[in-house]
Amino acid sequence: MRSFYLFVLFGISVLSAQVQPSNAKEVIKSLSSKALLEQQSIVKNINLQNIGPSIMSGRVVDLAVNDENPTEFYVAYATGGLWYTNNNGTTFIPIMDSAQTQNIGDIAVHWKSGTIYVGTGENNASRSTYAGIGILKSTDNGKSWENVGLTDSHHIGRIVINPNNPDEVVVGIIGHLYSTNKERGIYKTTDGGKTWKNTLFISEDTGIIDVAHAPENYNIMYAAAWQKDRKAWDFIGNGNLSGIYKSTDGGDTWTKISTPQSGFPTGDGVGRIGLAVFDENTVYAVHDNQFRRPGTKGANKKNKGLTKEDFKTMSPKDFLKLSDEELNTFLKTNNFQEKYRAKNVKHMVSNGAIKPMDLAAYLENANSQLFDTPVIGAEVYRSDNGGKTWSKQNEDYIDGLFYSYGYYFAQINVDPSNKNKIYLGGVPIIKSDDGGKTYTSIHGENVHDDHHALWVNPKKPGHLINGNDGGLNISYDDGQSWTKNNYPTVGQFYAINVDNEEPYNVYGGLQDNGVWKGPHNAEENSKWHQTGDYPWKSILGGDGMQVQIDSRNSNIVYTGFQFGNYFRIDLANKTRKYIQPKHELGETPYRFNWQTPILLSPHNQDILYLGGNKLHRSLNQGDTWETISPDLTQGGKKGNVAYGTLTTISESPLKFGLLYTGSDDGLVQISKNGGNSWRVISNSFPKDLWVTRVAASKHKKERVYVTLNGYRWDDFSSYIYVSEDYGESWKSIANNIPASPVNVLLEDPENENLLFVGTDNGLYVSFNQGASWEVFQNGMPNVAIHDLVIQPKAKHLLAGTHGRSIYKADIAPLQKMTPENLNDKLRVFDLENIKHSKRWGNARSSWSKPRTPGLDIVFFASKSGSFTATIKSEDGIEVSKTTLDGDKGFNILSFDVAFSKTGKNNYQTKHKTPLVASKDGKTYLPKGTYTVEISGNGKTETKTFKIE
């Protein structure tokens, strides 16, 4: 066995002071600061282009449909903003891109007045549930938004508007996800959000997840209270303060109606509740019942074979009596390593090397609590007397709907025209025609799992619009068949990467949508509906995670799904091999993070690193593994979420074996000798924060960067550090970045001064190693950036967002800037040559658009002012000239490669070559060499380009 040495500087305080959540006023102030920085940014004219993909979509949290015209509706995406359609979902436009957040929990629309309320902050308590900034309001279909308060709510459960008065609104607030707070419960406004009154407060850890009113009587309301406690290492989604409340005065006062005498469950096992009101008397509730199921006393055990539960109480004597055939069936079925077969496992037990319970422990992982815990799960209750009494409707367990994570669902709808017809959203979507007694699935083949929103047409039974983790579906036959309406680019990427092909491909893992690959220059349009060939291809399912591509052969890809389930995939041969490292039988199982880090060594593409709570290294592409560290975390915590795990790995590209790791509990460690010894280098950092990135410098082997993230403490501060001495000392370089948790830092491979940072609210760039930062978001809304990568040959920056798919920017001009030339009065960047075409300006047919060329002329100015651009032929003839107002920083002049009217006359005076205008009316420049001259700010610079 390999020995390890772990050095700790100054000790590690496991019992450190708890991280404090951010103050709402500070958060709002930071948003204002960001808006100002955006206006002043020197890169505000550098465009970020969305390159998709769209086909897999992202998580829908709510729908608002116009009952009078159901081809018009809004779709709210958890982290992708609000989208509008008036053509039944054929196309959508984003209407919240100007808002300060894209994170949504619920929406409500008053159709007659056009008033929209958006409750920011998702209502599902998942790992990537982002907080909001209160209630946003628009009265002009999203052209402008006003924050009307409740800024410390973080997560909004439901908004209901009085149909007769758009200024009267009741809001159910869930509250903070990872901390307690007072601004939760029911809030009501009667003046359109100018003032709010807290009409129901239960406790600082109990919020309101759902609110519903009688269709014909707004005064009769029901609210579902939800007590929960989420930590990075544990999630309790139930409590005795969860329950149902009723109001008969439009939300002014409330009475708890889920009492022990009512027939509705009470006590610690009461979880998330969803509501559906048919009329003033009939109301349904779906309940995520977290009480344990009664024991089955081993019924039908004979035919099921061995299970891991059997070994938890089995004695060594009974274990040795098991038949080899029965034991081998268990071992093979549960993917034990080949060396663990009946004979040698029995030998290990008889020698006392292991105990029978170790076989159960071998299989335990972070998913076990989710799928193995025998809770009651989904239940449906109904009241026909306005909530006075309730009766359970389902005759049997509703298995396969919630499993044990109903905290992610609990959605119920009743058909407005039939009080016995209800729909339940969970992993599948199911319906009942008998008031909830029995169910059938309406989950189509083209419908994604995990359902969060449903609209049932009140005037046309069977017309459904459904929102799920994979976007939007529409049915007109009550779920027998569905169309898929995934037009918006709202992919929720965890990680992205690129290869070196030409054109290069982009790879990415998404929340609940697997791993995909596509060319960076693929166009997002509907042409593939005709060809049947969408340019992006799925290469793995599950929750897609990190991707590493062999630089020698891009068909060899390493990727996987949650909790360290990684594969080596051969795309050419369409084969894959499972490569997760396995602990030895009898050892404590490895802990793997939801997004387990992997890394191909920059020095040898056969060497792969994978982080659990220990660091593992393979010298043969994952075929075999060696563990090259002790536990590099604080050791984990008791809970039902994997914790005490590695989250980031970096190896210096300048020195083989110079390794860094970061963990979810705040430790950063270094090894200078390939893992033989390790040292903690994070003692000066704030304690217990998630290490999102550790990045060894590409330019100086002593330099290393670290980013920390307090999201799982509701701490929204920005933490970014650099060390110039292998982590012996650190300097904060967050500087002027407005408060927002940091997910990624990327150092440019060409310019050591150029850094990029992605936060939960956007993208930043620094030209001076973090001394100051510029907002970098032209074309991108305020969305979470989870990953960044640079394609070095193309000089493109790719940003993987968690809500708006992937963006691309040409950073070649940025790479040329240093802290010194930021003071240059004027700097014009090199131009690309253009391939001439006789088709410029001419369409293929009278019905198609003409093909037009373009040349982007990029220049930098140290201050704003008026600039003149002159284009001259090789013999000095002025062919085009224009003036423009330039900003301080980078500017882009888009030249149409055509003569101006004066320029054409100038050219024809000297050249007798006939110049023929194209069908679009422009006369394009012929082949040749041209000079671009930019003048302004007291300086003139020239560059040349060729039309070949």
Side-chain angles (χ1 to χ4, degrees), residues 695-732:
S697 173
K698 303 175 180 72
H699 301 279
K700 184 179 178 183
K701 69 177 184 296
E702 296 87 358
R703 182 180 298 153
V704 59
Y705 296 93
V706 166
T707 62
L708 308 177
N709 187 306
Y711 158 83
R712 289 161 187 83
W713 298 93
D714 289 326
D715 173 12
F716 305 139
S717 305
S718 300
Y719 299 102
I720 311 172
Y721 300 92
V722 65
S723 173
E724 301 289 349
D725 52 13
Y726 301 105
E728 293 285 346
S729 60
W730 295 93
K731 178 177 71 173
S732 172

Side-chain angles (χ1 to χ4, degrees), residues 360-380:
Y362 186 86
L363 297 175
E364 296 289 352
N365 58 49
N367 278 324
S368 299
Q369 189 75 10
L370 290 178
F371 297 100
D372 297 346
T373 307
V375 298
I376 292 172
E379 290 185 318
V380 173

Side-chain angles (χ1 to χ4, degrees), residues 18-24 26-27 152 154 176 178-181 710 713-717:
Q18 183 169 314
V19 182
Q20 294 301 306
S22 294
N23 180 279
E26 295 172 356
V27 172
D152 196 40
H154 281 202
H176 292 191
Y178 287 96
S179 58
T180 58
N181 75 309
W713 298 93
D714 289 326
D715 173 12
F716 305 139
S717 305

Side-chain angles (χ1 to χ4, degrees), residues 3-292:
S3 299
F4 303 102
Y5 298 93
L6 185 65
F7 301 97
V8 182
L9 296 179
F10 311 116
I12 302 172
S13 176
V14 178
L15 300 175
S16 54
Q18 183 169 314
V19 182
Q20 294 301 306
S22 294
N23 180 279
K25 291 182 180 179
E26 295 172 356
V27 172
I28 299 302
K29 182 180 178 181
S30 73
L31 294 175
S32 299
S33 298
K34 186 186 179 189
L36 181 61
L37 283 176
E38 196 165 0
Q39 293 174 12
Q40 300 171 343
S41 174
I42 64 173
V43 293
K44 65 183 178 184
N45 295 319
I46 301 294
N47 186 57
L48 286 142
Q49 175 195 357
N50 190 293
I51 64 169
S54 62
I55 191 170
M56 73 291 295
S57 193
R59 185 163 67 247
V60 174
V61 290
D62 200 21
L63 304 164
V65 184
N66 186 346
D67 290 346
E68 302 301 320
N69 175 21
T71 64
E72 180 185 24
F73 54 90
Y74 297 87
V75 182
Y77 293 87
T79 54
L82 186 61
W83 294 69
Y84 171 76
T85 180
N86 58 7
N87 57 17
N88 204 33
T90 305
T91 60
F92 289 84
I93 57 171
I95 64 166
M96 222 173 86
D97 282 10
S98 63
Q100 293 176 314
T101 184
Q102 296 296 299
N103 307 329
I104 302 178
D106 195 61
I107 59 172
V109 178
H110 189 266
W111 290 98
K112 291 180 181 179
S113 66
T115 305
I116 308 171
Y117 291 91
V118 174
T120 64
E122 189 184 354
N123 54 21
N124 297 309
S126 72
R127 288 171 178 81
S128 57
T129 292
Y130 281 104
I133 55 174
I135 303 290
L136 301 183
K137 178 183 178 181
S138 176
T139 55
D140 54 12
N141 196 36
K143 294 183 178 65
S144 61
W145 294 93
E146 177 189 5
N147 190 320
V148 293
L150 306 180
T151 55
D152 196 40
S153 56
H154 281 202
H155 302 276
I156 302 294
R158 193 71 75 192
I159 304 172
V160 292
I161 305 174
N162 187 333
N164 301 314
N165 180 6
D167 289 335
E168 185 177 352
V169 183
V170 171
V171 177
I173 296 177
I174 308 168
H176 292 191
L177 180 56
Y178 287 96
S179 58
T180 58
N181 75 309
K182 293 181 179 179
E183 194 168 84
R184 58 173 78 205
I186 293 286
Y187 280 77
K188 180 175 179 177
T189 181
T190 56
D191 54 16
K194 293 177 183 176
T195 59
W196 294 91
K197 182 180 179 182
N198 185 195
T199 62
L200 175 62
F201 175 79
I202 301 165
S203 76
E204 291 191 6
D205 64 354
T206 305
I208 299 297
I209 185 62
D210 204 359
V211 183
H213 68 85
E216 303 300 326
N217 189 346
Y218 185 76
N219 284 324
I220 296 179
M221 277 184 192
Y222 300 86
W226 188 20
Q227 184 178 26
K228 58 180 175 55
D229 180 19
R230 179 148 206 155
K231 298 290 187 288
W233 56 88
D234 193 32
F235 181 42
I236 301 172
N238 47 278
N240 60 11
L241 295 181
S242 300
I244 302 175
Y245 289 76
K246 182 178 181 180
S247 173
T248 56
D249 52 16
D252 288 332
T253 60
W254 296 87
T255 302
K256 188 172 185 179
I257 58 174
S258 57
T259 63
Q261 297 76 31
S262 69
F264 195 87
T266 58
D268 287 338
V270 179
R272 180 170 173 172
I273 299 167
L275 301 168
V277 185
F278 181 77
D279 57 26
E280 294 188 16
N281 295 311
T282 301
V283 57
Y284 284 93
V286 61
H287 173 222
D288 172 32
N289 193 325
Q290 289 293 298
F291 285 107
R292 298 300 186 256

Side-chain angles (χ1 to χ4, degrees), residues 325-396:
E325 181 181 0
E326 185 179 22
L327 183 54
N328 274 328
T329 298
F330 171 81
L331 295 169
K332 291 178 181 179
T333 301
N334 288 279
N335 296 314
F336 277 69
Q337 296 179 61
E338 187 67 31
K339 62 184 178 181
Y340 297 130
R341 291 298 178 254
K343 287 185 179 180
N344 62 323
V345 172
K346 284 185 175 180
H347 182 70
M348 294 170 75
V349 170
S350 64
N351 286 341
I354 64 169
K355 298 177 181 178
M357 68 175 61
D358 289 325
L359 275 76
Y362 186 86
L363 297 175
E364 296 289 352
N365 58 49
N367 278 324
S368 299
Q369 189 75 10
L370 290 178
F371 297 100
D372 297 346
T373 307
V375 298
I376 292 172
E379 290 185 318
V380 173
Y381 287 81
R382 172 169 151 175
S383 174
D384 289 307
N385 54 14
K388 293 178 183 177
T389 58
W390 299 82
S391 59
K392 185 162 76 75
Q393 298 298 101
N394 50 296
E395 297 172 346
D396 300 311

Side-chain angles (χ1 to χ4, degrees), residues 829-833 855 929-932 942-946:
F829 296 93
D830 292 339
L831 303 172
E832 293 184 356
N833 295 331
L855 176 68
T929 301
Y930 296 86
T931 299
V932 176
T942 61
K943 292 289 180 180
T944 61
F945 70 95
K946 291 182 180 180

Side-chain angles (χ1 to χ4, degrees), residues 4 6 8 12 588-591 612-615 627-636 643-646 661 663-665 667 669 678 680:
F4 303 102
L6 185 65
V8 182
I12 302 172
T588 302
Y590 299 138
R591 299 186 300 274
N613 55 311
K614 302 177 180 180
L615 185 62
T627 302
I628 61 170
S629 80
D631 192 329
L632 297 175
T633 77
Q634 294 191 42
Y643 188 72
T645 62
L646 297 182
T661 65
S663 68
D664 56 10
D665 54 9
L667 294 191
Q669 305 223 29
W678 292 87
V680 175

